[in-house]
Amino acid sequence: MNRLEGKVAIVTGAGQGLGLAVSRLFAEEGAKVVGTGRHVEKVERAFAAVLEEHPEFEMVAMQHEISKRDEWERVIEDTVARFGKVDILVNNASVTSGKYLMDIDEDSFMNVMKINVVGELFGIQTIAPYFEKNGGGSIVNVNSIGSMVSGDADGWDPAYSASKGAARSLTRHAAFQLSGKGIRVNSVFPGPIETPMLRESLQNDPAIAARVEANNPLPPHISTAEHIAQGVLFLASDESATMCGAEVVIDCGHVVI
Ligand SMILES: NC(=O)C1=CN([C@@H]2O[C@H](COP(=O)(O)OP(=O)(O)OC[C@H]3O[C@@H](n4cnc5c(N)ncnc54)[C@H](O)[C@@H]3O)[C@@H](O)[C@H]2O)C=CC1
Ligand SMILES: C[C@H](CCC(=O)O)[C@H]1CC[C@H]2[C@@H]3[C@H](O)C[C@@H]4CC(=O)CC[C@]4(C)[C@H]3C[C@H](O)[C@]12C
C-alpha cells in the first residue's frame, strides 16, 4: 500500500487490458492517475466502474491519440493543470497488424510503426522537459517478448515484432540519454496475457492448451494483467530508483526455453 503516495501518473491505452489493470493498481497504491485512450468514452466507462467500487481513488480519463505530438502536449499540460505535476509515464498503448510476413502492405506496416514506435518517441520527448523541471521521473515502456523471440510470442505479426524491437532499442537509447537528468526509462516484457479470448481458446481446444503449457513452462503458464501490472508498479516506483534501461521479463518462462 502507498507505494506511489504523492505521485502523478499518465497511463496510455487505459480503457481495457493491461492499461486498466495498471491504472487501478497505481490508484490503489496512492497515485493520482490520468488514463488516456483514443476512444475516451471507453476509458471513462472503465474508470467509472473502478470508482464506483473505490470512490477514494483519483482517476481521470483523457482523449489521446498517441501518434500525434500535439495530443501529447495537451495531455501533459492538462495533467499538470489538474494535478500540479507528472512523475510517471507508462507507455502501454499499442496495436498489431493482424497480417503475415508475405502479405503485409506498406500502409499496415507503417501504421503499426507510427503508433508503437513514433507514439512512444513523442511521449518520451514531450514528457522529458516536465520531468526535468520536476527533479526527475520514471518512464515505463510496455514491450513484449515478441521483440526477443518470434512465433506465438509475436502473434506471427512482422510489423508488431519489428515495432517492439525498435521500441526496445529506443528505450535503451532514451534510458542512457536521459539518465543524467534523473529520468529513468525501463521496460517490462510480458509473455502472453490472459484475455477472455485466450482463456476461451484454452478451454475449448486442448491442443492449444498443450501448446501454451509447452511454450510457457512455469504455471499458471499465462500471466494475468495484474501480474504484469506488478512489474510496471515496481519500475514506476522509487523501489527501482537505480534501475536504468532494465528489461523486466514477465513470461512464465517463455524466453528461457
Ligand atoms: N496481450 C498480450 O498477450 C500481450 C500484450 N503486450 C503489450 O501489453 C500492452 C497492452 O496490451 P493489451 O492490454 O493486451 O492491449 P489491448 O489491445 O487490450 O489495449 C490496448 C489499448 O491501447 C489503445 N490504443 C491503441 N492504439 C492507440 C493509439 N494510437 N492511441 C491511443 N490509444 C491507443 C486501445 O484503444 C486499447 O484500449 C501493449 O503494449 C502490448 O503490446 C505484451 C505482451 C503480451
Ligand atoms: C499475440 C500474442 C502475443 C503478442 C503480444 O501481444 O505481445 C500471443 C501471445 C499468446 C498467443 C496465443 C497462445 O500462444 C495460444 C494459441 C497458440 C496457437 O495455436 C495460436 C493461437 C493462440 C491463441 C496464440 C495467439 C497469439 O499468438 C498469442 C495471443
Short mmCIF file of all heavy atoms in Angstrom, two decimals, residues 29 69 99 167 226:
data_model
loop_
_atom_site.label_atom_id
_atom_site.label_comp_id
_atom_site.label_asym_id
_atom_site.label_seq_id
_atom_site.Cartn_x
_atom_site.Cartn_y
_atom_site.Cartn_z
N GLU A 29 -2.30 2.19 -4.96
CA GLU A 29 -1.03 2.49 -4.29
C GLU A 29 -0.85 3.98 -4.03
O GLU A 29 0.25 4.44 -3.73
CB GLU A 29 0.15 1.94 -5.11
CG GLU A 29 0.18 0.41 -5.18
CD GLU A 29 0.48 -0.26 -3.83
OE1 GLU A 29 0.97 0.44 -2.91
OE2 GLU A 29 0.20 -1.46 -3.69
N ARG A 69 1.76 14.31 -31.93
CA ARG A 69 2.57 15.06 -30.96
C ARG A 69 1.74 16.09 -30.19
O ARG A 69 1.89 16.25 -28.98
CB ARG A 69 3.72 15.75 -31.70
CG ARG A 69 4.77 16.31 -30.79
CD ARG A 69 5.74 17.19 -31.56
NE ARG A 69 6.71 16.46 -32.35
CZ ARG A 69 7.82 15.90 -31.85
NH1 ARG A 69 8.07 15.96 -30.57
NH2 ARG A 69 8.67 15.29 -32.64
N LYS A 99 -1.43 -9.15 -39.85
CA LYS A 99 -1.02 -9.64 -41.18
C LYS A 99 0.31 -10.39 -41.11
O LYS A 99 1.16 -10.05 -40.30
CB LYS A 99 -0.91 -8.45 -42.14
CG LYS A 99 -2.27 -7.81 -42.35
CD LYS A 99 -2.28 -6.78 -43.45
CE LYS A 99 -3.73 -6.34 -43.65
NZ LYS A 99 -3.86 -4.99 -44.12
N ALA A 167 11.17 -0.36 -30.43
CA ALA A 167 10.85 0.26 -29.13
C ALA A 167 11.85 -0.18 -28.06
O ALA A 167 12.19 0.60 -27.16
CB ALA A 167 9.42 -0.10 -28.72
N GLU A 226 -2.84 -8.38 -14.00
CA GLU A 226 -2.43 -7.94 -12.65
C GLU A 226 -0.98 -8.38 -12.35
O GLU A 226 -0.23 -7.64 -11.71
CB GLU A 226 -3.38 -8.50 -11.58
CG GLU A 226 -4.76 -7.85 -11.57
CD GLU A 226 -5.63 -8.20 -12.79
OE1 GLU A 226 -5.45 -9.30 -13.38
OE2 GLU A 226 -6.48 -7.36 -13.16
#
